[in-house]
Amino acid sequence: MADRPLLLVDAPSLYFRAYFGIPESAARTADGQPVNAVRGFLDMIASLVRTRRPDRLVCALDHDWRPQWRVDLLPSYKAHRVAPEGGEVVPDTLSPQVPMLLEVLAAVGITAVGATGYEADDVLGTLATTQPAPVEVVSGDRDLFQLVDDARGVRLLYVGRGVAKLDDCDDAAVRARYGVPASGYADFAALRGDPSDGLPGVAGVGDKTAARLIDRYGSLAGVLAALDDPGSGFAPGLRGKLVAARDYLAVAPRVVRVARDVPLPELPTALPDAPADPQRLLELAERWNL
């Protein structure tokens, strides 16, 4: 096992956070174009490199923010975030900044990768599963608690309160936060639901009840199997709620679980000691006031 970590960055999570965290008026080019997302994202990466001291770094991208295979399983998945003309609702002044950001990363020599038909979460899940540990996944997406794996040496650096106040999460931290192990987080999330992703959950089942169910029956599959056992000890009201949601529960875990087998090319993961293209980096920094 390597001593220094591979830092896997959920790029959309961080650049959305940067965009909303830094006023456009505080970061513009000479001709007035906002670069707040680019500036903020690069500041976050620099801070993470200084504090976590990785020797490898990869940024994961959303090549498909709402994959059709997930929508086929659960039509409500992220449906509220679809723009009237199709595609994701993204602020007008953020969209142009994403290609700018990718140009800067290329000039620095930091790998950024996505995959057709998959979200950044799936790319992160695949890399966390296949790359040598230790691995630290950086995201503000709660779904990625499921990637935490003490045995493999995978942690989540959760940036829900910002990079300066990130939560360094191992399995004990996930248990303390939600009452389930990381391996049970996806099933827990399916039961509880998540309005931000269009997951309805089971009506009347919140965090505590979902955690108790996973703790008692081990998994959502165990919960569903117990529904068919008259002696399993469900309160009648809870049994009724779960039975009513059986069709949803049959597909929700596959929607929530990140893919771990995304077909990715061989990737350079080493954090560069110097910019890959210093002249290009200087040009971009001057052009975009970075």
Side-chain angles (χ1 to χ4, degrees):
M1 181 181 285
D3 292 327
R4 294 172 65 185
L6 163 63
L7 205 63
L8 295 179
V9 176
D10 182 350
S13 177
L14 263 64
Y15 63 63
F16 268 94
R17 182 169 295 276
Y19 176 82
F20 288 108
I22 298 175
E24 290 183 6
S25 59
R28 293 184 182 274
T29 62
D31 62 1
Q33 184 176 5
V35 289
N36 52 326
V38 182
R39 182 95 61 83
F41 183 94
L42 295 174
D43 283 349
M44 285 190 268
I45 294 294
S47 176
L48 288 162
V49 169
R50 281 195 302 271
T51 57
R52 308 306 300 189
R53 300 189 66 251
D55 60 1
R56 297 162 291 152
L57 197 159
V58 177
C59 292
L61 306 173
D62 270 340
H63 277 194
D64 192 340
W65 69 280
R66 188 176 183 248
Q68 189 60 46
W69 61 271
R70 283 194 167 102
V71 176
D72 289 343
L73 289 166
L74 189 67
S76 66
Y77 183 65
K78 294 186 178 180
H80 61 295
R81 288 155 57 181
V82 177
E85 66 278 8
E88 185 178 15
V89 176
V90 179
D92 291 342
T93 51
L94 172 57
S95 296
Q97 295 189 58
V98 178
M100 298 162 71
L101 176 57
L102 296 179
E103 281 200 64
V104 175
L105 291 176
V108 174
I110 291 174
T111 295
V113 62
T116 301
Y118 293 97
E119 300 176 54
D121 288 9
D122 302 311
V123 175
L124 294 165
T126 298
L127 292 172
T129 302
T130 58
Q131 291 293 312
V135 174
E136 296 184 341
V137 180
V138 184
S139 179
D141 186 342
R142 294 184 299 178
D143 286 341
L144 294 177
F145 281 113
Q146 66 186 280
L147 297 183
V148 171
D149 186 339
D150 288 1
R152 268 212 87 234
V154 180
R155 310 175 76 87
L156 177 67
L157 306 182
Y158 183 65
V159 296
R161 298 181 299 157
V163 167
K165 297 180 180 178
L166 61 80
D167 293 315
D168 181 355
C169 297
D170 58 5
D171 194 73
V174 180
R175 288 175 184 269
R177 185 185 285 258
Y178 295 111
V180 297
S183 60
Y185 182 83
D187 285 353
F188 162 83
L191 281 164
R192 177 200 61 195
D194 188 344
S196 67
D197 279 342
L199 294 172
V202 178
V205 172
D207 284 28
K208 291 182 178 178
T209 302
R212 282 200 304 271
L213 287 168
I214 298 300
D215 182 58
R216 179 169 183 178
Y217 298 103
S219 66
L220 186 49
V223 173
L224 293 175
L227 278 180
D228 298 322
D229 176 6
S232 57
F234 282 107
L238 179 57
R239 182 190 291 275
K241 292 171 183 175
L242 292 167
V243 168
R246 192 190 283 270
D247 288 348
Y248 160 75
L249 292 174
V251 298
R254 284 180 282 165
V255 175
V256 177
R257 287 191 195 112
V258 300
R260 295 175 183 258
D261 57 355
V262 175
L264 296 173
E266 286 292 320
L267 299 172
T269 62
L271 184 67
D273 293 325
D277 189 341
Q279 185 58 42
R280 178 65 173 159
L281 184 60
L282 184 60
E283 290 171 2
L284 295 175
E286 290 179 349
R287 182 194 307 173
W288 292 327
N289 191 27
L290 302 177

